[in-house]
Amino acid sequence: MVKRGIVILLLMNCILQGCSKGGEPARETEYAETEQSAEPATKEEGSDTRRFTAGDGSFSVFLDEDWMEEEVSASYWLVAGEEDQSVCIMQFPKEYSDLMVDNMDSVKALVNEKWDMADPVPGEAPPDLKLKNKEAYEYKTEADGESERGYVIFGETDYAFYSFLYDYNRLKADNLEAVMDCLATFDETPLDNELDWNHISGTETIRWFNAVYALESERAGWDPNHYVGAPLNERIRLEDQRYLKEQWNVADKESADKTVAWFLEKGYRAEFQKSNEYLKEEGLGDVPADRRTEFMLDNWDVTETEAGYYLKDYEMYEEYGPEAVAAWDYEHAMSLLRHFYVAGYYSHQEMLEKMYEIASVIQGEFDSWDDYMDSCFLGYEYWSDESSRPLREVYEDLKQREISPYSVDFKTELIREWAE
C-alpha cells in the first residue's frame, strides 16, 4: 500500500465511523469475505493513463497508468496513487446514504476536520471538471512527521456532493497540473433508483412490515414509508453488505440465517431472563428496594454503578416480566431481513416469508403499536444502559405525521400476497 494511501484510508475510516449509521457490536460468527464489484482499471489507448472506477460504478476517472488503486470500505469512494502522491475522490450521494451530510458546507466541514488542513489558499478547479459550485484550495498537512501539501476540490452534481483530494510531497509539486488534467476526465454515471429486483409494495401487509422497523429506518436516514426503507440500487446493495459485515459479521446466506435464528431463538431477551432469574433465586426480590444496592455490593464483586444497572434491569423484570424486551429482538430480526434482501443474501420471497412468520409472532404477543414499541424501548434501555427518551420522541413524531408508518392497524390481517 502506498504511504499516502495509508494516511488517506485511515482518515476515510474515521469519516465512516463518525458519520455512518450505527448498530450493535458484531458478534463472533464466521463469515466469508465479500468482494466489491469494481470495474477493473482500463488503459486509454495511446495515453499513459487508465480508467479507475468506483466500486459501485457511479463514477470513473483517468489517472496515471502506474498508480495503484487501494481497497476502500465505501463503494462510492476511490483512492489511487503511488509512494509520494495519491488521489482520493469521495462521493456523498444526496439520497439514501448512510453518511450524515446534507449539503456542501457539511461536506467541506467534515473533510477539513478529518484532514486537518492548515493554511488553505484559494485555488482554481479544472474548468473542464463536470461539477457545479466548484471550490478549490491548496493546503498543508503532516504525514508521518513530514510536511505534506495537498489540493482539494469541492463540488456537486444533481446526484451527489464530491470532494477531490490530491496529497503529495514537495518532490511531486510539478505534477499538480498533470493531476488536475486527469481529474478533469471525471465522469459520473448516476445509479438508477431501482434495479430489476421483483418486489411488491403499498399493500397493508407490506406497510405493516415497514412499521415494525420504521424507527430504525428514520434514524438511519431512510424513508420509513418506503418499501424496505430505500430504493434498490448497486450502491445501496454494497453499503448494506459493508454494514452487515462490520456490525453483524454477516456476509452470506449462511451467516444471515444464523443471525436471524439467534434473535428468534435467544436474542437479548435470553440473557435478560437468565440474569434476572438468577438474581431472583438469590433472594434479591425479597430485599426492600432501599437496601438492594447494599445487598448487591455485599454479595457480588460489582461497583455501585454496576449494581445500579443490574437493579434497573431487575426492576424492569419485576414490572414487565421475563419477556419485557422481546420486541427489541423481533425488531432487529425484521430489520435485518430487509438488509439481507437489499444486500443480496435473501431472495424477495425468502425475506417476505420470514417477515410474515415473525410478524405473526409479534401480533400474537402485543396488543398495539404502543405496546410493541414500549417493549422495544425497554430492550434498548437494557442493551444500552441509556434512556430511551430520544427514541420515544422520534416514535411520537412519526405517529403524528400526515403520512405515518403507524397509520396501518396493528391488528391488520396479514396476507401472503407474494405467494398467490
Side-chain angles (χ1 to χ4, degrees), residues 35-320:
E35 297 181 356
Q36 287 190 349
S37 57
E39 178 185 324
T42 55
K43 190 175 186 324
E44 185 177 35
E45 188 173 352
S47 170
D48 57 0
T49 63
R50 58 187 176 125
R51 183 191 298 274
F52 291 80
T53 304
D56 67 356
S58 61
F59 69 85
S60 65
V61 66
F62 281 92
L63 298 170
D64 191 302
E65 64 178 342
D66 295 327
W67 283 15
M68 299 296 295
E69 183 174 355
E70 302 296 341
E71 182 180 352
V72 293
S73 53
S75 65
Y76 38 89
W77 289 358
L78 176 69
V79 176
E82 58 179 7
E83 179 65 20
D84 295 313
Q85 57 183 335
S86 60
V87 162
C88 166
I89 301 177
M90 289 186 290
Q91 179 195 85
F92 298 84
K94 293 183 176 180
E95 293 185 354
Y96 300 104
S97 169
D98 62 354
L99 296 171
M100 302 306 180
V101 296
D102 54 10
N103 56 51
M104 200 69 248
D105 287 339
S106 59
V107 172
K108 289 188 288 185
L110 181 64
V111 173
N112 285 329
E113 175 189 354
K114 298 301 181 182
W115 257 256
D116 193 22
M117 297 177 180
D119 303 323
V121 177
E124 293 186 7
D128 294 333
L129 179 57
K130 290 176 277 189
L131 295 178
K132 298 183 294 185
N133 303 320
K134 290 180 288 188
E135 296 181 22
Y137 301 92
E138 188 171 4
Y139 61 89
K140 296 179 182 178
T141 186
E142 286 194 7
D144 299 331
E146 298 180 12
S147 177
E148 303 284 352
R149 299 175 66 180
Y151 208 86
V152 61
I153 301 170
F154 298 107
E156 64 181 296
T157 65
D158 292 339
Y159 178 72
F161 302 108
Y162 284 93
S163 170
F164 292 65
L165 281 157
Y166 174 48
D167 271 20
Y168 57 98
N169 69 18
R170 54 188 172 81
L171 299 177
K172 298 294 182 179
D174 293 340
N175 284 10
L176 179 59
E177 183 176 351
V179 171
M180 292 298 107
D181 288 341
C182 285
L183 294 182
T185 67
F186 166 81
D187 185 44
E188 183 185 69
T189 307
L191 300 179
D192 293 334
N193 273 350
E194 295 290 341
L195 289 178
D196 187 21
W197 291 359
N198 182 36
H199 66 277
I200 60 173
S201 61
T203 67
E204 291 295 284
T205 298
I206 297 301
R207 289 181 60 223
W208 198 98
F209 290 173
N210 282 352
V212 170
Y213 45 74
L215 189 66
E216 197 244 354
S217 294
E218 177 73 11
R219 294 177 69 216
W222 288 17
D223 185 347
N225 293 301
H226 194 289
Y227 186 57
V228 303
L232 304 176
N233 62 40
E234 185 69 1
R235 173 175 61 81
I236 297 294
R237 183 179 74 83
L238 292 171
E239 280 188 11
D240 259 17
Q241 287 182 354
R242 175 172 63 85
Y243 164 72
L244 291 170
K245 180 178 176 181
E246 293 178 355
Q247 299 293 339
W248 299 102
N249 281 346
V250 169
D252 52 27
K253 176 69 162 59
E254 181 181 2
S255 53
D257 286 342
K258 289 180 179 179
T259 300
V260 75
W262 182 83
F263 276 110
L264 296 181
E265 296 168 10
K266 296 181 179 180
Y268 296 109
R269 66 192 183 282
E271 181 59 33
F272 175 82
Q273 294 167 4
K274 181 180 179 181
S275 61
N276 285 299
E277 285 170 2
Y278 168 75
L279 292 175
K280 182 179 181 180
E281 291 171 359
E282 292 298 310
L284 181 61
D286 299 326
V287 178
D290 61 352
R291 295 187 57 192
R292 286 182 175 181
T293 298
E294 180 183 354
F295 180 80
M296 293 284 297
L297 296 175
D298 288 344
N299 287 277
W300 290 280
D301 183 20
V302 295
T303 66
E304 188 168 346
T305 298
E306 290 170 337
Y309 291 146
Y310 284 114
L311 291 175
K312 176 182 67 66
D313 294 342
Y314 190 74
E315 290 170 3
M316 188 187 302
Y317 173 80
E318 283 187 313
E319 183 172 357
Y320 300 102

Side-chain angles (χ1 to χ4, degrees), residues 2-33:
V2 299
K3 180 181 71 173
R4 298 304 303 157
I6 292 175
V7 176
I8 281 185
L9 288 175
L10 290 173
L11 291 169
M12 291 171 76
N13 284 334
C14 288
I15 288 180
L16 288 173
Q17 293 168 4
C19 300
S20 62
K21 61 191 174 190
E24 287 72 29
R27 297 190 312 281
E28 294 182 359
T29 56
E30 295 182 358
Y31 59 83
E33 293 288 339

Side-chain angles (χ1 to χ4, degrees), residues 317-360:
Y317 173 80
E318 283 187 313
E319 183 172 357
Y320 300 102
E323 296 293 323
V325 303
W328 184 244
D329 289 327
Y330 301 147
E331 188 274 344
H332 275 75
M334 288 284 280
S335 182
L336 283 170
L337 284 169
R338 52 86 176 263
H339 287 295
F340 297 162
Y341 166 53
V342 172
Y345 304 145
Y346 272 28
S347 70
H348 185 246
Q349 185 87 1
E350 288 171 327
M351 174 192 72
L352 291 175
E353 288 293 341
K354 201 67 179 179
M355 281 186 170
Y356 180 82
E357 174 189 332
I358 299 170
S360 299

